[in-house]
Amino acid sequence: MSHQTPATDRPLTTALAEAAATAGHAPSVHNTQPWRWRVLPDALELRVVRERQLSATDPEGRLTAVSCGAALHHARVALAAEGWTAVVERLPDPQQPDLLARLTGLTRSGGDPEAMRLVQCMQVRHTDRRPVSDEPVPAGVLDDIVRAADAEGSRLQILDADQVMELAATASHAGTVEAEDPQTREELQYWTHRAGTGTGLPPEVLPHDQPQTTVPARDFGSPGDLPVGPGHDKAAVYGLLYGDEDEPASWLRAGEALSALWLTATRHGASVVPLSGVVEVAGTRQTLRRLLSGLGYPYLVLRIGIADPAHAGPPHTPRLPAAQVVDTSAVRDQRP
């Protein structure tokens, strides 16, 4: 392997294109992957793809922006692992609201070992909706997860037992509201029957039966192929990802925080499942605000636990090919 060119000797445009492709591993609501990257000679631009926004579930685009923020953090980490530090310009042009971020001002910094470890976590991170094991999440791991979110400008509040019970009732109500809405049901049906498209949630990642959980998980409307087993989530921890503002820039940062905390959890062997239903319904979102004493805006609820090692986890959800989400036309002619 010694004959290979060191990563830092490769052209910047190659590193940018590869970082954008690596960002395709990021989590997104219903695996919509609502992002598109454009590689420029000295910058990388992230745009939202409105056609993959959930019009019924996410009319304001909050969860879409969170999804794109997760991809942005993935790209930043991938560049750092390759020895590049970028300046992040979020929502840089008011005339282009779909231009969410620009990574620019790139300088060589030498490969970051921590970033390299997180890139490895990107390859294995996935959403496991089965009940977690009876092994509690170590306090030190939870502290690391909370710190990872905080470092990206959002906060993660770990809920106490009373708050979890209130969350459970709230999530149940949100599930009822969404089940009774024909547009939401139709949208869910669309994104869970997308075989061969590279997006959506295939049956093998969706539970065959509703898992026994304190906080009810989303009912996907039809059974999947993933056996859930007899376990319960008694050892799970529930957290509320939130911030001070409720606007596109803060949603984007919440996605960056989601990526950071999820990769940190993955490194520690912890499982994360986002529960977005409770923030999709306006009334239940207000209830979550009360859990925060009105001091912040909730972006996402997370279940954190240790996956049951006795059962193989679900496969990874499909991904769009890089050629469909990374536009290299602006630099194609410059490549050696």
Side-chain angles (χ1 to χ4, degrees):
M1 302 290 283
S2 59
H3 64 281
Q4 286 190 335
T5 306
T8 50
D9 288 347
R10 290 184 298 166
L12 171 59
T13 52
T14 302
L16 292 172
E18 289 185 357
T22 300
H25 289 292
S28 56
V29 59
H30 294 357
N31 192 30
T32 48
Q33 300 165 62
W35 49 71
R36 185 161 177 80
W37 297 92
R38 185 161 184 249
V39 181
L40 300 173
D42 57 357
L44 183 61
E45 291 184 340
L46 169 64
R47 283 177 171 77
V48 63
V49 179
R50 292 293 173 196
E51 297 77 45
R52 293 204 286 275
Q53 180 175 330
L54 304 172
S55 56
T57 307
D58 184 34
E60 295 170 305
R62 186 182 291 108
L63 293 172
T64 301
V66 169
S67 301
C68 289
L72 174 59
H73 181 263
H74 269 47
R76 286 170 44 206
V77 171
L79 281 171
E82 288 289 314
W84 292 97
T85 299
V87 175
V88 186
E89 299 173 350
R90 294 170 184 83
L91 300 172
D93 185 354
Q95 303 303 313
Q96 299 185 68
D98 287 352
L99 176 59
L100 297 186
R102 186 184 288 125
L103 294 169
T104 186
L106 286 121
T107 53
R108 290 192 191 277
S109 54
D112 177 346
E114 174 67 11
M116 292 176 193
R117 281 192 287 272
L118 292 182
V119 168
Q120 291 174 337
C121 292
M122 291 175 196
Q123 325 289 333
V124 298
R125 184 213 61 78
H126 63 289
T127 305
D128 187 345
R129 294 177 177 84
R130 302 169 306 154
V132 294
S133 71
D134 293 333
E135 181 186 345
V137 183
V141 171
L142 268 184
D143 289 345
D144 275 0
I145 292 170
V146 169
R147 272 195 297 268
D150 194 54
E152 294 298 329
S154 294
R155 276 160 289 168
L156 181 66
Q157 177 169 318
I158 302 301
L159 302 182
D160 63 30
D162 289 343
Q163 291 172 324
V164 169
M165 295 316 294
E166 188 170 352
L167 170 65
T170 306
S172 178
H173 178 62
T176 301
V177 170
E178 294 203 316
E180 291 173 352
D181 180 61
Q183 289 179 304
T184 301
R185 287 204 313 269
E186 183 182 336
E187 193 168 71
L188 200 55
Q189 171 83 0
Y190 177 82
W191 287 102
T192 53
H193 292 77
R194 303 271 297 157
T197 65
T199 57
L201 301 170
E204 55 266 28
V205 305
L206 299 177
H208 185 269
D209 308 294
Q210 277 296 93
Q212 297 180 65
T213 55
T214 305
V215 178
R218 188 192 294 277
D219 182 351
F220 286 93
S222 55
D225 295 343
L226 181 66
V228 297
H232 198 282
D233 70 336
K234 289 187 178 71
V237 170
Y238 286 87
L240 187 50
L241 184 66
Y242 73 101
D244 295 331
E245 307 290 341
D246 190 24
E247 58 186 58
S250 55
W251 305 340
L252 193 67
R253 282 193 175 273
E256 293 175 85
L258 175 66
S259 166
L261 72 84
W262 203 333
L263 294 176
T264 299
T266 301
R267 203 181 79 206
H268 285 298
S271 158
V272 174
V273 176
L275 302 173
S276 59
V278 73
V279 297
E280 292 162 8
V281 176
T284 54
R285 196 159 179 267
Q286 281 304 314
T287 304
L288 292 184
R289 280 209 75 194
R290 287 198 292 276
L291 280 182
L292 295 168
S293 305
L295 298 176
Y297 293 90
Y299 306 129
L300 210 53
V301 171
L302 303 172
R303 186 196 78 182
I304 304 167
I306 305 297
D308 187 345
H311 300 96
H316 290 254
T317 47
R319 287 297 186 268
L320 291 165
Q324 283 189 37
V325 291
V326 184
D327 174 10
T328 58
S329 59
V331 298
R332 208 169 286 143
D333 299 337
Q334 301 182 4
R335 296 202 168 182

